[in-house]
Amino acid sequence: MSSSRMALVAAFGLAMGFTPAQAADLGGNCCADLEERVAELEATTARKGNRKVSLTVSGWVNESVMFWDDGTERNAYVGTNKLEQSRVRFVGEAQIVPGWSAGYTLELGILGANSSGSSGWNQSNPDGTGNNAVSVRKSSWFIKSKDYGKVTVGQDGTALYHVLDDADGANTRNFSDAQAAAVYQGNFNLRHNGAFIGGASGLTWAGANGVMQGIDNSTVGQDGRRNVVRYDSPTIAGFTLTASWGEDDDWGLSLTYANTWGDFKVLGKAGYGEVSDENIGCSTKTAPTDCQLFGAAGTIMHVPTGLYVYGGYGQNKDNRVADLGASGTEATSSMYFIQGGIEQKWIPLGKTTVFGEYRHDDGGSKNNVSISGFTGADAVRNGALGSTSLNFIGAGVIQNIEPAAMDLYVVYRHADGDIANTAGVTTSVDAFDAVIAGAMMKF
């Protein structure tokens, strides 16, 4: 018997000594029974490579049903909610000396049916592509000081990663944050008067061939996860400074503020960054890239009543667009959004969040996306995408189930708007409506 197993047996035996009624049930073959129980414990316990580094395993499963109607076709799909996809996270940490520690983060994303992105589901594909897959979301190590902050190296969030989303101080963060409007209808094709614009492989709402702008899930003002060096300062008077640099080149700065003012809970984030990595892009992935990003958002909640407001603004400026020489091009893309609601514990199971929201996008030229598919008198509508004006309305209910670490949600979304080619000829987009119902269960 190994020394660790002997220790477990001894501890278990000692505990059993305080419960004679249970010990009597073991009969004469107590040691064999203890061996069996210890083996079962070892088989079901998370193991770690050494005793110096702690290991925390966490994550969640987030699966949903999406009922959608694009004005011509309607259907219902089942799959992983890509807004906050299912995942598992491993975090290890060990103390070096008092006040200093080192650790790592390894986070894996898990997809069943792929609901969003350039490979997400659409009118002709209920599963998307790249489904039933595991991806590496984060892989980084860090050194942390209580007094001097934290340095992270590896694949992780940039300083502007979720700078708008993480300013959501309500329980809508994982179900209807700033980028939800772009994620939920993601790869669905746009229609005009019932016909696909550019055919079945033509324009989509978001993604590589999408009319929505932005580096992070087609939401301007935010950056993504990159291979970076990142610094997070200690929190002073509610403020935390974050800086990051990586890729070739991608750098950013952001400031987070979290505090309580009397009966009000306040959360705010703002950041600025620049991207010149031709593999990331701003409105195109054609080298060279020269993009400037800015985003700011915040939440203020009245704690006694649960009433809150969450809103923000994002902007990307693609300095390359002005060099294209085409008339009707617009280098700047912007968006603003506002959400209001109430979050209260009306039932013993957990808090209920009821909300409504609006987002508006004014998109600039996306010169790697062309408008096509119009013939006859409408042929003048063909051409490169020059600008967009898009509207998104949402509302929903989220019910937290505290005993099960679960959230149940139902969200309604509506999208419509106009797109224009570089000649300034405008085309209306048929409305897209969806209801998303599902659950996120954390572990």
Side-chain angles (χ1 to χ4, degrees), residues 164 210-215 218-222 282-284 291-295 313-319 321 329-336 359-367 385-390:
L164 303 176
V211 297
M212 300 180 72
Q213 299 282 15
I215 294 173
S218 298
T219 299
V220 298
Q222 300 196 136
C282 186
S283 64
T284 175
C291 185
Q292 298 170 321
L293 293 73
F294 170 77
Y313 173 83
Q315 177 180 290
N316 283 17
K317 184 178 181 182
D318 187 350
N319 294 315
V321 171
T329 58
E330 174 56 55
T332 302
S333 299
S334 63
M335 61 84 76
Y336 64 86
R359 167 174 161 170
H360 179 80
D361 285 40
D362 288 312
S365 176
K366 198 168 185 180
N367 58 69
L385 182 64
S387 62
T388 62
S389 179
L390 306 171

Side-chain angles (χ1 to χ4, degrees), residues 311-378:
Y313 173 83
Q315 177 180 290
N316 283 17
K317 184 178 181 182
D318 187 350
N319 294 315
R320 275 203 71 241
V321 171
D323 298 331
L324 297 177
S327 61
T329 58
E330 174 56 55
T332 302
S333 299
S334 63
M335 61 84 76
Y336 64 86
F337 67 95
I338 187 166
Q339 179 186 106
I342 184 170
E343 189 168 279
Q344 269 287 2
K345 192 171 184 178
W346 289 310
I347 62 175
L349 287 175
K351 288 185 177 181
T352 305
T353 308
V354 182
F355 70 94
E357 65 183 30
Y358 173 75
R359 167 174 161 170
H360 179 80
D361 285 40
D362 288 312
S365 176
K366 198 168 185 180
N367 58 69
N368 63 331
V369 172
S370 62
I371 303 173
S372 61
F374 295 102
T375 59
D378 283 336

